[in-house]
Amino acid sequence: MAVQTNIRAKAHVYGDHIDTDRIIPGKYTKTLDLSTLANHVLEDLDPKFNKEVKPGDILVAGINFGCGSSREQAPLALKQSGVSVVIAKDFARIFFRNAINIGLPVLEIADHSIQKNALLDIDLKTGIVKDLTANITYTATKLPDIMIDILAEGGLVNYLTKNGTYTL
Amino acid sequence: MGQTISEKIISNHVGKEVYAGELVISKVDGCMASDTTGPLTIKAFREMGGKKVFNPEKCALIIDHAAPSPNERIANLHKMMRDFAKEQGMRLFEIGEGICHQVMVENQYVKPGDIFIGADSHTPTYGALNAFACGVGSTDLAATMMTGKIWLKVPQTIQINCSGKLQDGVTAKDLILFLVGKVTVSGATYQAIEFTGEAFESLSLASRMTIANMSSEMGAKTGIVHPKGLALDYDFESITPDTDANYVKTFNFDVSDLEPQVSAPESPDNVHNISNYEGTKINYAFIGTCCNGRLEDLDVAAEILKGKKIHPDVRMVIAPASQSVLLDAISNGTMSTLIEAGASLITSGCGPCVGTHQGVPADGEVVISAANRNFRGRMGNPNSNIYLGAPSTVAASALEGQITNPKKYLL
């Protein structure tokens, strides 16, 4: 199952250092039910997000997005809520791996100035992000090759089901 | 070309000399997951076609984040972990046996020179043992359990060199809080840290674990304490950096005048001298966690509270890092001292630090905690505030009902 590579959607924009407790509080993480996670996504940061997010929407943040816990429930909650891609100035490393592993694309754009409700057009293959509202074009940092391969399969489960082990 | 500790350990595991920036697939020596990450790990392991874990002697599951189970949903997830461990012939550490990182070290799942992967962000704790240890999420851990491998980018290393000796009454927690404040919560993202210098050499294993534990609060992939002065119950070969190793950055601090440190809400790097916060009223004092729930942490609290009662407006919760720590604290009298002073003992495990149960603060309450994180909502209530400090600071503050410099009780 390959991920969709062309996305045009609205940006929900937040600030720096959004930690995993703010993405999904620890009290909700002990579950395998993804809809429970989506119901509480970002609730301590923005209680309205869960009601406003539409399938395909884009989450945009500043530096160190996803810092804190190793909980994979954080990218799972975002993906289940309908978020199609996360753009940040940079990411905390475990969140970054987790997102790729579950097939949620993440793009690092160190100098973006994307504003709330901007309409973005994204080509995941090239990493080119067009801010159609502000008329600015960005190029995201290229992922390591192995991450591109994992994402192309839709995540690490599919990658390993197909390959049996890692290959460089 | 010289190598850092991380470059040496990874080179030993991939069978060739590698340096920062290279992408490698490395074998790993061991791995573990907790009850926050384990159920998703098991699900992913099955989905990716996993039949047997790569080595049942080296893979473990630990029930520590919500132990004992607070509701039927979590009880069923715990059962799923028990069933999987039995099927795989691997060890499951039961409720109350302790926090994952503590029991991995006590039971020698990880040793100097190892590469260890844990589905918990505080896995760098094993850097205290001169090991390369990384936190990952559930699907990564499932892949490691199945293949015995992980893909890694060999990290650049930041060297943190601390000269001088800590004053009496100033602890490893004060030192690492100070360093987190200087490096910041994203200052070491994707990178390894090497802690080196006189200030670390005399530290116990427990104190070294406190130091390495909070590497993750700087975003680091791993944090390794230089093995000089490391004493273990068994013989080991230590890995030291070459004198011409390449560091991306070096910090130098003289810590001989360091005062007790406090991290204020709501980020671990919001760190200042305790004098900035003395007098702040507290409702709740907590000592425990993978950062500061070990015997020396409980002992220093008992030294401060011996023969006294905590402030009537404060409640105090103690969660020993493991059953072994608890038994030692019973044997040496520390546990009686703490309970007689008014503290409440809860099951060894993560306890209130992860905000699931066992002591969630009320709206508007202020907590002084020996844990490692004070993000908004961390302890289960976004309308409370968490200050972080050393166990000594937590005990002194519990006594006075306000944030208090512990030095006067220790000198």
Side-chain angles (χ1 to χ4, degrees), chain A residues 22 27 30 72 91 97 101, chain B residues 73 139-140 190 356 380:
Chain A
R22 262 171 272 208
K27 59 191 165 192
K30 284 99 186 156
E72 198 164 283
F91 291 88
R97 284 182 79 111
N101 285 342
Chain B
R73 178 170 47 81
T139 304
D140 254 331
Y190 306 130
T356 305

Side-chain angles (χ1 to χ4, degrees), chain B residues 250-277:
Chain B
T250 297
F251 289 91
N252 290 299
F253 299 105
D254 178 347
V255 295
S256 39
D257 292 329
L258 188 74
E259 286 293 312
Q261 302 287 301
V262 167
S263 166
E266 49 190 52
S267 180
D269 63 356
N270 187 14
V271 176
H272 298 91
N273 280 339
I274 194 166
S275 56
N276 288 269
Y277 303 108

Side-chain angles (χ1 to χ4, degrees), chain B residues 36-242:
Chain B
T36 290
T37 54
L40 274 172
T41 300
I42 295 166
K43 182 169 172 267
F45 181 84
R46 301 232 192 267
E47 285 172 0
M48 61 180 62
K51 298 280 183 279
K52 297 299 285 178
V53 301
F54 81 96
N55 180 354
E57 304 286 308
K58 288 294 194 175
C59 300
L61 295 174
I62 302 97
I63 298 179
D64 59 355
H65 277 60
S69 51
N71 57 45
E72 72 274 30
R73 178 170 47 81
I74 295 177
N76 287 327
L77 295 174
H78 288 172
K79 179 175 186 297
M80 176 186 180
M81 293 173 69
R82 292 184 186 107
D83 291 347
F84 183 79
K86 196 169 270 181
E87 168 199 309
Q88 294 291 329
M90 63 196 275
R91 179 144 178 209
L92 176 127
F93 289 85
E94 264 297 346
I95 58 164
E97 286 196 77
I99 301 171
C100 52
H101 307 305
Q102 187 66 21
V103 298
M104 289 297 93
V105 172
E106 285 175 358
N107 291 276
Q108 298 181 18
Y109 274 76
V110 54
K111 289 185 170 177
D114 281 359
I115 292 183
F116 193 96
I117 303 300
D120 186 272
S121 60
H122 288 112
T123 303
T125 305
Y126 318 138
L129 283 174
N130 196 215
F132 182 92
C134 283
V136 297
S138 297
T139 304
D140 254 331
L141 205 272
T144 293
M145 271 191 177
M146 186 172 93
T147 63
K149 293 177 185 156
I150 188 152
W151 76 266
L152 289 169
K153 199 172 195 181
V154 181
Q156 297 176 317
T157 297
I158 295 177
Q159 185 185 48
I160 298 180
N161 180 30
C162 293
S163 60
K165 281 202 170 112
L166 296 176
Q167 294 176 34
D168 288 345
V170 179
T171 66
K173 179 61 167 294
D174 298 302
L175 175 54
I176 191 63
L177 284 176
F178 169 77
L179 294 174
V180 171
K182 292 294 177 196
V183 177
T184 79
V185 287
S186 56
T189 301
Y190 306 130
Q191 295 167 327
I193 298 172
E194 274 181 25
F195 299 97
T196 187
E198 186 189 4
F200 300 104
E201 289 167 11
S202 57
L203 295 182
S204 64
L205 174 61
S207 286
R208 287 165 188 255
M209 288 171 75
T210 302
I211 297 285
N213 177 274
M214 287 194 76
S215 303
S216 47
E217 265 56 67
M218 299 180 265
K221 185 176 283 187
T222 195
I224 304 177
V225 184
H226 192 289
K228 190 169 181 190
L230 175 65
L232 298 172
D233 297 340
Y234 50 87
D235 292 333
F236 64 96
E237 206 171 308
S238 56
I239 313 268
T240 54
D242 292 323

Side-chain angles (χ1 to χ4, degrees), chain A residues 97-150:
Chain A
R97 284 182 79 111
N98 284 346
I100 300 284
N101 285 342
I102 63 148
L104 175 66
V106 280
L107 296 175
E108 197 172 273
I109 303 175
D111 62 347
H112 82 73
S113 54
I114 299 166
Q115 300 294 311
K116 196 178 167 197
N117 295 328
L119 182 66
L120 305 182
D121 186 280
I122 299 175
D123 182 343
L124 286 175
K125 279 193 177 145
T126 59
I128 290 176
V129 175
K130 290 180 186 153
D131 181 339
L132 301 174
T133 305
N135 198 23
I136 304 173
T137 299
Y138 304 100
T139 305
T141 308
K142 190 176 179 292
L143 292 173
D145 287 344
I146 190 164
M147 282 190 152
I148 293 173
D149 294 345
I150 292 169

